[in-house]
Amino acid sequence: MTYKEHISVLYKECFEYLITSENLSYLDMTFGGGGHFFSFLKSKKLSKAIGLDQDIEAFNNGKEKIKNSKFSEFAEIIHTNYYDFLKNTDLKFDCMLADLGVSSHHFDSPERGFSFRFDAELDMRMNTTKGETAKDILNNYSEEDLADIFYIYGEERLSRKIAAKIIEFRKNKTLTRTKELEEICFVSYPKHLRHGKTHPATRVFQALRIYVNKELEVLENSIPLMINCLKPGGRLGLISFHSLEDRIVKHKFKEAYKNDQDNLKILTKRPIIAAEEEVRLNPRSRSAKLRVIEKIVL
């Protein structure tokens, strides 16, 4: 399937903070559609660029785009999760970036099961070659465990009611489709709250996606490895899209600085957010927050 492009958020801000000199080595930990990756390459300030993506569709698309570009001699993409790469590499980089949001491609690909806009099987895995699917979790986990997932990873206030409705549904048939889960969430909400700004299924779908892909655990365990992979003078930028991610980035940066104040500097006391013009052109950027940390040259 053709990988659908999406607009890279906070591009100007990422470029300003990360691309600070010439002949830089760059690691893009979430290649996606390659927006940041190829934009940075076109600046002619990179001497080496590596992209990572655990999604096989993103990997195949990126491999083909790099092959057919003028950057193929010093740019490459690797099919891997960034945590697995970081824990097994000795490479150091001048600039590193991770866009932690789910790409538009995933939401717009019905068969992946990320969105309740389409009727599809509940999968939600970034790497479709391994791991539990959302369907596995919804049909095999206990009511208490499901409620905890919805509350912890989605901050869903009606988590217990929704979990109870899922258990009730499971008595008669297996829960397999996105529209089935959407309906369960919808009827779990009181009638006066069903048509608010946020759809009743939004937080449950977010929670399942995060849990299926172990997004928060991977991020928390990876940040120290990311910082360790920086060259002296190198900078790490992380773009988050919800409070759970941003909280982890903020605390892990502070923790790293506290433990190594002579070698690290947090460049963003407050997260960088999209300007009004970018939000107008790309509503997805509204919730994006960029934080940057630097390894000081001694």
Side-chain angles (χ1 to χ4, degrees):
M1 179 179 180
T2 302
Y3 197 91
K4 298 175 183 176
E5 302 298 327
H6 72 281
I7 303 171
S8 297
V9 301
L10 296 171
Y11 163 72
K12 291 181 181 178
E13 292 80 0
C14 288
F15 189 89
E16 176 186 338
Y17 272 93
L18 300 180
I19 310 300
T20 56
S21 60
E22 308 284 336
N23 296 317
L24 299 173
S25 56
Y26 170 55
L27 179 67
D28 190 318
M29 294 174 282
T30 51
F31 183 91
H36 290 108
F37 191 83
F38 283 102
S39 295
F40 288 0
L41 282 170
K42 289 172 184 176
S43 73
K44 300 181 180 180
K45 293 181 180 292
L46 303 184
S47 58
K48 177 68 176 177
I50 298 176
L52 312 175
D53 210 298
Q54 64 182 333
D55 186 295
I56 192 65
E57 292 175 354
F59 168 73
N60 287 333
N61 176 72
K63 187 176 180 180
E64 192 66 21
K65 286 181 71 173
I66 292 170
K67 178 183 175 182
N68 295 326
S69 76
K70 59 184 178 181
F71 310 113
S72 57
E73 290 186 6
F74 59 94
E76 65 176 307
I77 184 171
I78 301 171
H79 182 221
T80 185
N81 176 283
Y82 59 77
Y83 174 72
D84 291 333
F85 176 86
L86 292 165
K87 71 179 180 180
N88 291 305
T89 188
D90 295 322
L91 295 175
K92 304 290 183 181
F93 299 90
D94 296 300
C95 46
M96 300 168 61
L97 176 65
D99 177 342
L100 302 169
V102 179
S103 74
S104 301
H105 171 82
H106 291 116
F107 286 125
D108 293 339
S109 300
E111 72 279 359
R112 301 297 292 272
F114 283 96
S115 174
F116 50 81
R117 287 187 292 127
F118 311 104
D119 183 25
E121 189 159 308
L122 286 156
D123 191 316
M124 297 195 190
R125 292 172 298 169
M126 297 288 190
N127 185 345
T128 55
T129 66
K130 63 180 181 179
E132 287 183 306
T133 65
K135 181 177 70 173
D136 295 331
I137 290 161
L138 289 165
N139 287 289
N140 296 318
Y141 281 34
S142 69
E143 180 177 333
E144 183 179 0
D145 286 342
L146 289 174
D148 286 346
I149 289 170
F150 302 153
Y151 184 76
I152 294 169
Y153 297 103
E155 300 177 300
E156 174 53 69
R157 291 176 299 170
L158 296 178
S159 60
R160 304 216 171 276
K161 186 171 183 180
I162 294 170
K165 290 279 189 183
I166 289 171
I167 299 301
E168 184 180 333
F169 183 96
R170 275 166 33 181
K171 291 177 181 177
N172 298 312
K173 62 177 293 192
T174 303
L175 177 54
T176 63
R177 310 294 293 181
T178 55
K179 285 297 182 181
E180 291 172 339
L181 180 58
E182 178 196 18
E183 179 64 16
I184 289 170
C185 296
F186 186 79
V187 299
S188 296
Y189 266 59
K191 289 183 179 180
H192 69 283
L193 295 177
R194 291 176 182 175
H195 300 283
K197 186 177 179 181
T198 302
H199 189 285
T202 300
R203 294 185 180 90
V204 166
F205 272 70
Q206 172 189 296
L208 281 169
R209 190 203 78 228
I210 290 172
Y211 185 82
V212 164
N213 296 290
K214 299 180 172 57
E215 292 177 27
L216 301 185
E217 293 90 337
V218 168
L219 176 61
E220 189 163 10
N221 292 332
S222 295
I223 291 176
L225 300 177
M226 295 175 186
I227 293 172
N228 185 58
C229 281
L230 288 173
K231 291 181 181 179
R235 294 183 174 188
L236 165 66
L238 297 177
I239 303 173
S240 60
F241 285 84
H242 55 74
S243 60
L244 297 173
E245 287 176 337
D246 183 58
R247 196 176 303 137
I248 290 173
V249 176
K250 177 183 177 181
H251 290 163
K252 296 302 285 189
F253 276 11
K254 283 187 173 181
E255 181 183 300
Y257 172 72
K258 183 178 179 181
N259 293 334
D260 196 4
Q261 295 185 28
D262 292 334
N263 293 296
L264 296 174
K265 181 180 181 181
I266 297 173
L267 300 181
T268 48
K269 300 300 181 184
R270 293 183 177 179
I272 305 300
I273 60 174
E276 289 184 12
E277 178 65 9
E278 180 175 1
V279 172
R280 186 181 68 80
L281 295 172
N282 179 20
R284 178 176 177 265
S285 67
R286 182 180 290 108
S287 56
K289 294 180 178 179
L290 170 68
R291 294 183 186 270
V292 183
I293 192 167
E294 178 181 36
K295 183 169 284 187
I296 298 169
V297 178
L298 297 176

